[in-house]
Amino acid sequence: MIKRRAAVGLAATALLVRPGRAQEVDERNWPDRPLRLVVPYAPGGTNDIAARLLAQRLGEAFGQPAVVENRPGAQAILGTELVARARPDGLTLLVAASGPIVFNPATNDRLSYDPLRDLAPVSLLVTFPLMLLVAADSPHRTVADLVAFARANPDKANYGAPAASMQLASELFNQRAATRFQHVAYRGSAEIVTAVASGDLTTAFLDMAPVAGALAGGRVRALAVTAATRLASHPDIPHHGRGRLPRHGRGVLGWRTGAGRHAPGHPGPAARGMRGAGGLARLSRPHDRAVLPPHRRDAG
């Protein structure tokens, strides 16, 4: 079933499939063709990395290739629509964060898909915190500095967001800090990292995977991380549990999925097939844990 919860500054990546009727799928021979993993974001982000690691493990487990297809655009709507309209045989899977499943339906009344009707959850893959970034040479050394600048210069303060979850996190920050950072839309996180590093953007909330290289290379700095405790991988970055983010501005809406609940008549070949192969937990290896964001990884 889909469980919606207030996650303490966490974003999540989940695996979903379009529901179908039992007669449309031969579970005994599933998968009988290559699997298609659709990522509704540009390459390089946490969802993309998780999808590519999963694709390798699925191919090894089922003897069928699993192909990752990036379909970014329109707040992840384009890729999600593609899966919602795909043949409901359990072979086309969506690897997505909470944006297209939770935030888009809540903020867009003209969606062509209904996540509860058109998609069935298979598993939560990973949850991860967001980092509040500025350029390495930015004069803003703390969150308080950033807030003071934005209040004094509302026409100059802006932020970038590649997806609804990051945009809503930023708007929650605006609300709680009494600031007016202006939203600038981008297709992917890599473009935002470049824009922050060059000073074209004042700040951004982003997940850790696309930020790691720029952070290590000294192109950007993280003022805070939306986690309840310090990250073992970045113990020098303040966490919101210490009050580094505006008071009460500590949560962004997150979501969690669990395998087992499907649309009426849906045989759940993807979910049952993965459990039969030993579960998604067995598809994870120590190398994956070194590549994925270190805050939290869930499978199964």
Side-chain angles (χ1 to χ4, degrees):
M1 61 182 293
I2 292 181
K3 301 175 183 177
R4 294 173 183 168
R5 62 188 174 90
V8 184
L10 295 179
T13 297
L15 187 67
L16 301 102
V17 64
R18 183 183 174 187
R21 295 182 295 275
Q23 62 267 30
E24 294 179 279
V25 181
D26 181 358
E27 290 190 66
R28 295 169 299 177
N29 298 317
W30 186 92
D32 58 354
R33 296 189 303 282
L35 292 160
R36 183 185 188 191
L37 303 184
V38 177
V39 180
Y41 313 101
T46 298
N47 295 276
D48 180 63
I49 293 173
R52 294 181 188 281
L53 291 172
L54 179 62
Q56 181 179 349
R57 302 297 177 249
L58 290 175
E60 294 170 355
F62 297 117
Q64 288 284 354
V67 180
V68 176
E69 184 175 333
N70 295 89
R71 288 296 186 98
Q75 297 283 26
I77 293 174
L78 298 183
T80 305
E81 284 181 340
L82 187 152
V83 175
R85 296 171 181 172
R87 185 169 181 257
D89 54 12
L91 296 173
T92 301
L93 304 167
L94 178 70
V95 180
S98 47
I101 310 304
V102 176
F103 298 134
N104 286 350
T107 59
N108 188 339
D109 58 4
R110 306 180 81 175
L111 285 180
S112 64
Y113 67 88
D114 179 340
L116 296 179
R117 178 196 65 207
D118 300 329
L119 299 168
V122 175
S123 178
L124 178 70
L125 297 179
V126 57
T127 61
F128 47 89
L130 303 178
M131 286 184 170
L132 180 63
L133 302 176
V134 295
D137 59 358
S138 168
H140 315 310
R141 310 300 300 185
T142 66
V143 175
D145 291 343
L146 184 65
V147 169
F149 169 79
R151 289 175 178 172
N153 303 275
D155 58 329
K156 297 180 181 179
N158 58 15
Y159 72 88
S165 56
M166 281 75 165
Q167 183 179 354
L168 264 68
S170 303
E171 290 301 332
L172 178 61
F173 183 91
N174 263 339
Q175 183 184 68
R176 300 308 188 192
T179 53
R180 295 172 59 187
F181 286 93
Q182 298 299 308
H183 171 235
V184 181
Y186 283 80
R187 289 173 63 87
S189 298
E191 298 174 356
I192 294 178
V193 172
T194 299
V196 171
S198 67
D200 290 340
L201 285 175
T202 309
T203 190
F205 275 104
L206 289 179
D207 53 305
M208 296 168 60
V211 172
L215 200 62
R219 295 170 54 214
V220 298
R221 281 187 288 109
L223 299 184
V225 61
T226 60
T229 59
R230 287 185 182 270
L231 301 181
S233 60
H234 297 88
D236 57 320
I237 300 176
H239 60 92
H240 74 67
R242 292 286 186 181
R244 298 305 196 273
L245 296 180
R247 187 176 181 181
H248 304 307
R250 299 179 177 178
V252 295
L253 199 67
W255 72 295
R256 186 181 181 91
T257 64
R261 182 180 183 273
H262 306 278
H266 178 244
R272 282 202 280 271
M274 290 177 190
R275 287 199 299 270
L280 282 173
R282 293 189 184 180
L283 300 177
S284 176
R285 294 181 178 177
H287 171 70
D288 303 346
R289 298 178 181 274
V291 174
L292 286 171
H295 179 71
R296 180 180 177 184
R297 307 165 190 86
D298 291 297

